[in-house]
């Protein structure tokens, strides 16, 4: 037997043990034979890969079943399954999406935590203050013992004094939110604030020689001497605060526009039993441009590429057919977002969408969180439910789906 | 509750196809699920073109559905399907000659540069196209349909030993054709 035949039988699994010994003995001394074995294995692997990649198209399957008038796969011959089994089977199918979403969420959380630095490197805070330029207004909070009441007063200090004071390590950081009354007293040099969100302070605190927009929000560092240092720009203030604070400094913020780019993962109902009809670039991706009507309400347009699984029935030449398709549509619509439960770095929102595509109208409800590590951008993570209505012949059908969306929004 | 048809043997499914429509449809669907890829692979490899392959593939299952009878107790469903597909492919090729020219394929070979696994796959596909018909079919039945040499012999109406020899020669021919390109693909000396 030639060595080619030995090799062929070996990769074919037909070689007996005696010939196998012979083959290995020959392989140990013959380099050409080793090359041939290697090529044979590569060839078998290529055959295997090729065979595994071949499958009839969905159109061919529909063609077979349609011509025979047989209920197509996915609706007949399905194994019985309990609710739990159906659930686990469904989860298994979407495991990639779930895992990738989970990874995205964890990565987002890690980035935010890193930015927020909740463990606090106080040296950084001090350096931050020391590096502050002349535009950063600074006020010192004098000891309460100096006053006739229990509340310290805030007064202006020189920048030189501020730097000296900051040589002391920062003991505590407090973020104050001032609710401004805009009441001018007879004394134009004095503007009063009615309340701070910290109970330690009351309306009789006085802030002197500060522009109005700087009075709304402040970040203060309280050092060991109980001196309060005021910074015009909060280090990690939410975007709303920053916008109010810096409206005069940055005119772009007055535009109140938000551009959102989000990706979507979804589950169709009923479960899709045919594959995607196409896979265009940016599928299941949306972009929205919204105008911020006030701090809580935004409205704008939303454009997205998305799949809708459609399963419907109809008659052709007197024969009833069940159609299944999973096309990609370009949907466009109007959307409005309402923010609520607003915290420093995070807020929740509810969003409604009304739009359509070439198949029919679409309604969508969304709920989620906006995480604001910076005043310029925020991360979005939420869930959504969509419903598309379409018709075939004189019948109307519905294509519902639920999913999650995640992305990033830029304010400008 | 829906019945699980995956538990049934081929011959049981064939018997069910002679029963009520609902069970018949479900049985046919199960057979389709089992063998669709295999039949399509055969059609695609024998005919070369996807459109023709899909036409023949559809016709194969339609003929199977119409021809199969419940009394085919010992029917090999895979063999029956491949036989139908084979006859349809032969008829198709007889009616419409395959016009793939060797010169064109050789040109395609030369245009490939910087090979990797994917390119290897493409080259193998084209090398199969270049095979002599008498070697090509047994090879397809062996590597794409997973048939035994006995089954290949039955379909090709030859002996088992001959079927094995033809598959071996087909592989040798492919290796010979690909030898210069394998060096390039894997950057060998």
């Amino acid at each position: 037997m030639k060595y080619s035949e030995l090799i062929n039988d070996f990769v074919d699994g037909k070689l007996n043990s005696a010939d196998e010994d012979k083959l290995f003995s020959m392989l140990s001394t013959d380099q050409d034979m080793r090359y041939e074995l290697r090529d044979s294995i590569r060839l078998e692997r290529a055959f295997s890969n090729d065979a595994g990649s071949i499958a009839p198209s969905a159109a061919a399957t529909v063609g077979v079943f349609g011509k025979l008038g047989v209920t197509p796969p996915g609706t007949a011959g399905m194994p019985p399954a309990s609710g739990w089994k159906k659930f686990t089977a469904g989860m298994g199918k979407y495991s990639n999406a779930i895992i990738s979403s989970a990874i995205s969420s964890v990565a987002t959380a890690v980035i935010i935590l890193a930015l927020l630095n909740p463990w606090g490197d106080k040296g950084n805070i001090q350096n931050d203050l020391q590096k502050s330029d002349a535009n950063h207004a600074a006020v010192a909070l004098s000891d309460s013992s100096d006053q006739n009441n229990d509340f310290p007063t805030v007064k202006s200090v020189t920048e030189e004094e501020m730097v000296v004071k900051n040589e002391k390590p920062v003991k505590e950081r407090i973020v104050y939110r001032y609710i401004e009354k805009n009441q001018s007293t007879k004394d134009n040099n004095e503007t009063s604030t009615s309340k701070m969100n910290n109970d330690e302070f009351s309306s009789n605190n006085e802030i002197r020689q500060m522009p109005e927009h700087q009075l709304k929000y402040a970040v203060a560092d309280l050092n060991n001497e109980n001196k309060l240092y005021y910074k015009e720009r909060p280090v990690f203030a939410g975007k709303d605060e920053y916008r109010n604070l810096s409206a005069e400094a940055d005119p772009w913020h007055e535009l109140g526009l938000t551009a959102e780019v989000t990706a979507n993962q979804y589950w169709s109902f009923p479960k899709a039993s045919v594959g995607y009809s196409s896979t265009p670039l940016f599928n299941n991706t949306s972009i929205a441009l919204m105008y911020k009507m006030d701090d809580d309400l935004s409205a704008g347009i939303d454009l997205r590429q998305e799949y809708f699984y459609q399963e419907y029935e109809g008659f052709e030449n007197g024969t009833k057919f069940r159609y299944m398709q999973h096309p990609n549509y370009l949907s466009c619509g109007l959307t409005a977002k309402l923010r609520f439960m607003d915290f420093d770095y995070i807020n929740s929102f509810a969003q409604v969408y009304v739009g359509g595509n070439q198949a029919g109208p679409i309604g969508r409800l969304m709920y989620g969180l906006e995480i604001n590590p910076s005043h310029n951008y925020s991360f979005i993570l939420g869930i959504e439910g969509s419903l598309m209505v379409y018709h075939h012949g004189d019948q109307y059908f519905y294509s519902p789906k639920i999913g999650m969306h995640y992305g990033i929004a830029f304010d400008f | 509750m829906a019945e699980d048809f995956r538990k049934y043997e081929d011959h049981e499914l064939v018997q069910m196809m002679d029963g009520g429509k609902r069970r018949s449809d479900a049985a046919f669907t199960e057979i389709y699920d089992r063998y669709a890829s295999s039949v399509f692979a055969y059609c695609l490899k024998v005919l070369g073109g996807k459109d023709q392959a899909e036409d023949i593939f559809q016709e194969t299952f339609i003929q199977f559905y119409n021809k199969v009878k419940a009394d085919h107790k010992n029917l090999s469903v895979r063999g029956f399907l491949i036989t139908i597909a084979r006859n349809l492919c032969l008829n198709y090729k007889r009616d419409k000659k395959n016009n793939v020219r060797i010169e064109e394929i050789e040109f395609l070979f030369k245009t490939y540069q910087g090979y990797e696994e994917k390119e290897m796959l493409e080259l193998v596909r084209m090398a199969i196209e270049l095979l002599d018909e008498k070697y090509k079919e047994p090879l397809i039945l062996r590597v794409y349909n997973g048939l035994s040499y006995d089954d290949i012999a039955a379909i090709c109406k030859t002996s088992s030993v001959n079927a094995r020899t033809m598959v071996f020669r087909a592989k040798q021919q492919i290796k010979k054709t690909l030898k210069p390109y394998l060096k390039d693909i894997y950057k060998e000396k």
Side-chain angles (χ1 to χ4, degrees):
Chain A
M1 187 183 283
K2 285 183 178 178
Y3 70 68
S4 294
E5 291 177 51
L6 278 175
I7 289 171
N8 181 68
D9 287 350
F10 175 69
V11 296
D12 217 16
K14 304 284 184 189
L15 200 63
N16 61 46
S17 57
D19 285 338
E20 201 168 276
D21 291 342
K22 186 179 169 186
L23 172 69
F24 290 141
S25 172
M26 292 167 75
L27 281 170
S28 65
T29 56
D30 190 332
Q31 189 168 20
D32 288 341
M33 196 173 171
R34 287 200 293 273
Y35 285 151
E36 175 144 0
L37 175 62
R38 186 187 55 194
D39 290 346
S40 296
I41 291 170
R42 285 170 178 167
L43 196 59
E44 290 297 326
R45 193 167 59 205
F47 285 146
S48 176
N49 290 340
D50 197 19
S53 68
I54 297 173
S57 66
T61 299
V62 170
V64 170
F65 284 81
K67 285 173 185 170
L68 291 172
V70 174
T71 311
T75 56
M78 293 298 290
S82 64
W84 174 249
K85 282 183 179 174
K86 285 178 182 174
F87 174 75
T88 52
M91 294 302 281
K93 182 176 180 182
Y94 296 106
S95 59
N96 286 343
I98 292 168
I99 290 168
S100 61
S101 300
I103 290 170
S104 300
S105 303
V106 170
T108 304
V110 169
I111 291 167
I112 291 166
L113 281 174
L115 289 170
L116 294 179
N117 191 15
W119 302 280
D121 183 349
K122 293 177 180 176
N124 286 346
I125 294 169
Q126 189 176 7
N127 290 337
D128 215 23
L129 281 172
Q130 285 177 333
K131 288 175 185 172
S132 58
D133 58 33
N135 293 328
H136 286 176
V139 290
L141 184 66
S142 62
D143 291 335
S144 57
S145 58
D146 294 340
Q147 306 302 317
N148 295 327
N149 51 54
D150 294 330
F151 304 103
T153 55
V154 179
K155 63 182 182 182
S156 297
V157 294
T158 63
E159 186 171 352
E160 184 182 333
E161 185 182 359
M162 179 188 77
V163 172
V164 171
K165 297 295 181 189
N166 279 323
E167 287 175 359
K168 297 287 184 182
V170 172
K171 188 173 74 176
E172 190 177 355
R173 162 163 285 198
I174 306 168
V175 178
Y176 298 98
R177 178 174 178 167
Y178 297 80
I179 299 175
E180 187 181 15
K181 277 187 174 178
N182 278 334
Q183 290 177 348
S184 298
T185 61
K186 291 178 182 177
D187 181 3
N188 289 331
N189 292 328
E190 184 171 310
T191 302
S192 64
T193 55
S194 61
K195 193 178 185 328
M196 296 180 185
N197 66 349
N198 188 313
D199 291 339
E200 293 179 24
F201 302 95
S202 68
S203 59
N204 58 358
N205 288 317
E206 59 180 26
I207 299 177
R208 298 173 187 276
Q209 298 174 356
M210 299 292 290
E212 281 189 2
H213 72 276
Q214 292 178 353
L215 296 179
K216 291 179 181 176
Y217 299 94
V219 169
D221 291 329
L222 197 64
N223 68 10
N224 287 331
E225 294 181 336
N226 200 28
K227 302 294 183 187
L228 184 67
Y229 291 92
Y230 175 93
K231 289 186 72 182
E232 179 185 3
R233 295 188 177 194
V235 179
F236 290 114
K239 59 183 178 181
D240 296 343
E241 287 92 332
Y242 185 81
R243 182 173 294 116
N244 288 333
L245 192 65
S246 59
E248 292 179 11
D250 189 351
W252 284 100
H253 282 247
E254 293 175 348
L255 286 177
L257 292 176
T258 304
E260 291 183 4
V261 180
T262 56
N264 314 99
Q265 298 285 350
Y266 71 89
W267 292 262
S268 295
F269 297 98
K271 189 172 70 175
S273 55
V274 296
Y276 297 137
S277 57
S278 63
T279 51
L281 196 64
F282 303 123
N283 53 32
N284 286 327
T285 303
S286 69
I287 183 166
L289 185 64
M290 305 182 79
Y291 176 70
K292 202 160 189 174
M293 303 171 85
D294 60 35
D295 283 350
D296 296 327
L297 182 64
S298 299
I301 59 170
D302 181 298
L303 191 68
R304 80 165 63 179
Q305 288 225 63
E306 60 182 332
Y307 291 101
F308 274 101
Y309 175 63
Q310 295 171 269
E311 191 171 312
Y312 54 97
E313 293 177 343
F315 286 88
E316 282 185 27
N317 301 322
T319 305
K320 189 176 184 180
F321 289 95
R322 179 185 289 266
Y323 302 93
M324 288 171 290
Q325 60 183 25
H326 208 167
N328 190 281
Y329 291 112
L330 182 63
S331 305
C332 184
L334 299 174
T335 185
K337 175 185 278 190
L338 180 66
R339 294 176 182 80
F340 52 93
M341 291 175 65
D342 199 350
F343 299 104
D344 284 341
Y345 310 117
I346 192 166
N347 64 268
S348 59
F349 70 87
Q351 194 169 345
V352 62
Y353 169 101
V354 179
N357 56 37
Q358 64 194 82
I362 300 167
R364 208 181 327 265
L365 289 174
M366 291 172 263
Y367 174 80
L369 299 173
E370 283 181 336
I371 302 153
N372 313 292
S374 163
H375 54 274
N376 288 323
Y377 61 92
S378 56
F379 296 108
I380 301 167
L381 181 65
I383 56 173
E384 66 176 41
S386 304
L387 180 72
M388 183 179 77
V389 183
Y390 59 99
H391 70 89
H392 178 71
D394 55 356
Q395 277 190 290
Y396 282 88
F397 299 91
Y398 303 94
S399 177
K401 63 180 182 178
I402 63 168
M404 57 187 300
H405 62 271
Y406 46 88
I408 190 166
F410 298 96
D411 294 331
F412 54 93
Chain B
M1 181 181 284
E3 189 178 359
D4 185 1
F5 282 78
R6 290 180 298 184
K7 65 186 178 187
Y8 294 115
E9 299 289 334
D10 284 358
H11 68 274
E12 293 174 303
L13 293 170
V14 169
Q15 283 186 325
M16 287 178 202
M17 285 181 64
D18 205 32
K21 176 162 173 52
R22 192 171 174 180
R23 281 177 70 77
S24 171
D25 286 0
F28 175 74
T29 302
E30 177 58 28
I31 289 173
Y32 181 89
D33 286 345
R34 286 183 193 180
Y35 299 115
S37 295
S38 179
V39 172
F40 183 69
Y42 176 84
C43 298
L44 187 63
K45 292 298 164 188
V46 168
L47 296 174
K50 191 182 175 192
D51 290 341
Q52 303 95 305
E54 289 202 338
D55 289 343
I56 300 298
F57 164 78
Q58 291 185 32
E59 188 59 28
T60 300
F61 274 95
I62 290 166
Q63 285 199 12
F64 172 82
Y65 185 86
N66 293 328
K67 284 181 178 177
V68 75
K69 301 292 181 188
D71 55 0
H72 285 179
K73 289 178 183 173
N74 298 316
L75 173 73
S76 161
V77 172
R78 184 198 294 268
F80 191 38
L81 280 166
I82 294 292
T83 302
I84 294 171
R86 182 174 189 259
N87 289 334
L88 289 169
C89 288
L90 288 174
N91 290 342
Y92 179 88
K93 289 167 83 171
R94 186 187 60 211
D95 295 342
K96 203 169 186 177
K97 291 287 183 188
N98 190 349
N99 289 323
V100 176
R101 294 168 58 186
I102 290 174
E103 292 83 2
E104 291 174 0
I105 292 171
E106 284 178 342
F107 170 75
L108 287 170
F109 270 30
K110 288 170 185 171
T111 61
Y112 278 88
Q113 299 291 329
Y115 304 108
E116 294 174 354
E117 288 288 326
K118 193 175 173 185
E119 282 72 21
M120 171 73 175
L121 209 60
E122 293 299 318
L123 287 172
V124 166
R125 286 171 182 165
M126 283 190 277
I128 292 172
E129 288 296 314
L130 285 172
L131 283 175
D132 190 297
E133 284 298 322
K134 66 180 177 182
Y135 297 143
K136 185 176 175 180
E137 189 175 29
L139 178 79
I140 291 166
L141 292 170
R142 178 69 183 164
V143 300
Y144 290 96
N145 298 107
L147 295 186
S148 68
Y149 291 116
D150 289 340
D151 288 340
I152 296 169
I155 289 170
C156 296
K157 298 179 177 56
T158 184
S159 68
S160 180
V161 173
N162 201 26
R164 191 170 180 168
T165 303
M166 286 193 288
V167 172
F168 170 69
R169 286 180 182 169
K171 288 181 180 178
Q172 290 301 105
Q173 184 62 49
I174 290 173
K175 275 192 271 189
K176 188 179 173 185
T177 307
L178 295 182
K179 199 169 184 68
Y181 307 103
L182 285 170
K183 286 182 180 176
D184 285 341
I185 291 171
Y186 297 103
K187 311 289 183 205
E188 290 161 0
K189 290 180 182 177

